[in-house]
Amino acid sequence: MTLRAIQLFFPSVAKAMKTANALQKVSLHMTAARRLEYGWWAYMLGERTTPRLKPSSKIISVDANLASGKGALAQKLANKLGMLYMPEADTFYLDKMSGNKEPLPVDFNGMCSLEKFYTNPKATDGNAYRLRVWMYNMRLLQYSDAVEHLLTTGQGVILERSPFSDMVFLDAMFKQGYIRKECVQHYNEIKHNSICEFLPPHLVIYVDIPIEEVQKNLLQSGKSYLQNVPLAYLKSIEDSYKKSFLPEISEKSELLVYDATQAQDIERVAEDIEYLKFEKGPWLEQDDVTYHHMRMLVEDKDKVATLTHIPKFLPEITIGAHDYHDKYYAFRSLPGKKYSQGYNADIGDKYIWLK
């Protein structure tokens, strides 16, 4: 008997996502005047999204190869335009948004390791594909956070990459022989079932840097596991961006492309964005009714997470029932994880009987 590891990726998904959702409502998305959770009653009583949307109410994704300076560009641009900057999601994104003081062990974070992938990309235990599918899940959750913030506050959001561009890494992994064809088929299936629920970014900014310079930046990063990233892998990422992702996304999102020098000129990039008319893409077709359904989805993190749950056997992401049982109860035994947030006396929760 086997159970999919994707189920273990969210060992207590309802609990973890509700906790994350509650925390995000206060720290990321909610103002003092809007602390109650949005829902059907709010809509029936007159809560509408369009009145708070402004010309700057956009989702912008900054994309590039590894070590291309996209983070610096995204952060400076967010400061310039008065938008919310959301750093690239990592394998511990769920922990951070759930309020954990320290990242939980990898057993509760996709059972994968970024460091292991770069040091041994062809590891026979399936780490490469577990990492890819886990990162897609994290990007999907982060994107739902970005959409929720946009629709709740009207403030635009700038991201580093998105679930729409995550496929460039899948393509590169497959071309380099790091994952099997069956993994690609599984990934395409979960993406097909989940990405259709979201609108693409209003704008994608791509920073085009020669792969030789990318490799040089990786060597200078100081991270030991990035010292030997193959040039062929970086080339495959670049090819997937230019041959697949950028042509496809340009049909429904605005697209700006810069080289490394141009990307450092924040004033120019900001000016180019101001000149865009944003006259294409599915965002133009939205109204208060569709925004309502969109908000209902993105604030339900449990539902967002389960969009990628497909009952399919795949050795890379499948574990035995006994292993699942052990890991599940190991998670439950962690401090503050036995019950829902606010009900765990072991971490100092008080007045539990009043809740």
Side-chain angles (χ1 to χ4, degrees):
M1 176 181 180
T2 56
L3 290 175
R4 291 177 303 116
I6 191 65
Q7 294 175 323
L8 183 62
F9 290 171
F10 301 92
S12 181
V13 66
K15 173 188 169 187
M17 285 302 167
K18 288 177 182 177
T19 300
N21 195 30
L23 288 170
Q24 293 162 20
K25 290 275 183 281
V26 176
S27 60
L28 265 181
H29 314 300
M30 288 301 177
T31 63
R34 201 178 292 116
R35 289 190 180 277
L36 294 179
E37 181 176 337
Y38 178 80
W40 285 101
W41 275 112
Y43 182 76
M44 293 295 292
L45 293 173
E47 166 74 3
R48 296 294 184 268
T49 299
T50 53
R52 70 176 63 92
L53 298 182
K54 306 178 290 292
S56 61
S57 299
K58 301 289 188 290
I59 293 181
I60 300 175
S61 173
V62 179
D63 275 84
N65 211 319
L66 305 178
S68 297
K70 67 184 184 307
L73 170 60
Q75 190 165 23
K76 291 177 182 178
L77 198 57
N79 292 336
K80 175 70 177 177
L81 300 177
M83 294 183 170
L84 174 69
Y85 165 60
M86 298 183 71
E88 184 172 10
D90 59 13
T91 55
F92 299 102
Y93 181 77
L94 184 61
D95 282 349
K96 295 174 181 177
M97 302 314 293
S98 299
N100 290 322
K101 295 181 179 179
E102 297 181 359
L104 298 181
V106 295
D107 273 359
F108 313 120
N109 282 288
M111 296 186 294
C112 58
S113 168
L114 183 66
E115 292 81 358
K116 181 176 180 178
F117 168 72
Y118 282 119
T119 55
N120 184 16
K122 293 186 178 181
T124 56
D125 64 352
N127 177 73
Y129 185 60
R130 284 198 303 278
L131 173 67
R132 189 71 274 127
V133 74
W134 179 248
M135 283 305 304
Y136 176 77
N137 274 274
M138 295 302 99
R139 294 195 204 282
L140 197 67
L141 288 170
Q142 185 186 52
Y143 198 76
S144 73
D145 282 338
V147 174
E148 183 178 6
H149 183 83
L150 174 76
L151 300 182
T152 304
T153 69
Q155 183 186 28
V157 182
I158 299 184
L159 299 154
E160 295 178 48
R161 299 199 181 99
S162 74
F164 291 86
S165 61
D166 183 78
M167 45 75 63
V168 301
F169 296 98
L170 179 88
D171 288 350
M173 286 180 173
F174 179 64
K175 288 177 182 176
Q176 298 306 310
Y178 301 160
I179 59 176
R180 300 182 301 126
K181 181 179 179 180
E182 289 78 7
C183 295
V184 176
Q185 294 171 342
H186 176 264
Y187 179 96
N188 288 336
E189 187 175 354
I190 65 172
K191 184 174 181 179
H192 175 77
N193 286 354
S194 56
I195 206 69
C196 60
E197 300 292 337
F198 296 88
L199 302 186
H202 294 81
L203 167 65
V204 171
I205 299 175
Y206 179 69
V207 183
D208 187 12
I209 298 182
I211 56 173
E212 292 79 12
E213 187 174 340
V214 170
Q215 191 174 55
K216 180 181 177 181
N217 292 340
L218 290 172
L219 291 173
Q220 295 174 347
S221 68
K223 298 178 180 178
S224 59
Y225 61 90
L226 295 177
Q227 301 303 300
N228 297 304
V229 179
L231 198 64
Y233 177 66
L234 300 175
K235 177 62 175 174
S236 294
I237 294 175
E238 180 183 71
D239 289 344
S240 185
Y241 262 123
K242 294 181 177 180
K243 296 178 181 179
S244 299
F245 173 69
L246 295 181
E248 179 181 343
I249 201 66
S250 64
E251 296 179 0
K252 46 195 173 184
S253 302
E254 299 292 345
L255 175 64
L256 293 174
V257 179
Y258 301 98
D259 61 29
T261 302
Q262 294 169 335
Q264 294 178 9
D265 189 348
I266 302 300
E267 296 292 335
R268 172 184 172 174
V269 177
E271 185 176 347
D272 288 344
I273 294 174
E274 291 177 2
Y275 277 115
L276 292 174
K277 296 182 179 180
F278 294 98
E279 293 181 336
K280 62 179 177 180
W283 285 97
L284 297 175
E285 305 167 4
Q286 308 309 307
D287 55 26
D288 278 313
V289 175
T290 58
Y291 284 141
H292 163 69
H293 291 287
M294 204 181 301
R295 290 178 69 178
M296 293 292 288
L297 169 65
V298 296
E299 75 173 16
D300 188 347
K301 306 307 178 187
D302 186 20
K303 186 174 182 179
V304 172
T306 55
L307 290 173
T308 60
H309 289 191
I310 297 175
K312 185 174 183 178
F313 172 79
L314 198 66
E316 287 83 350
I317 58 169
T318 305
I319 64 171
H322 293 294
D323 286 342
Y324 179 89
H325 176 276
D326 292 343
K327 292 180 186 298
Y328 175 79
Y329 284 101
F331 175 82
R332 285 294 195 179
S333 68
L334 296 174
K337 301 300 181 184
K338 187 173 183 180
Y339 304 112
S340 297
Q341 183 189 27
Y343 292 86
N344 295 281
D346 61 327
I347 60 171
D349 290 341
K350 299 180 180 181
Y351 311 112
I352 295 175
W353 58 280
L354 290 176
K355 295 184 181 294

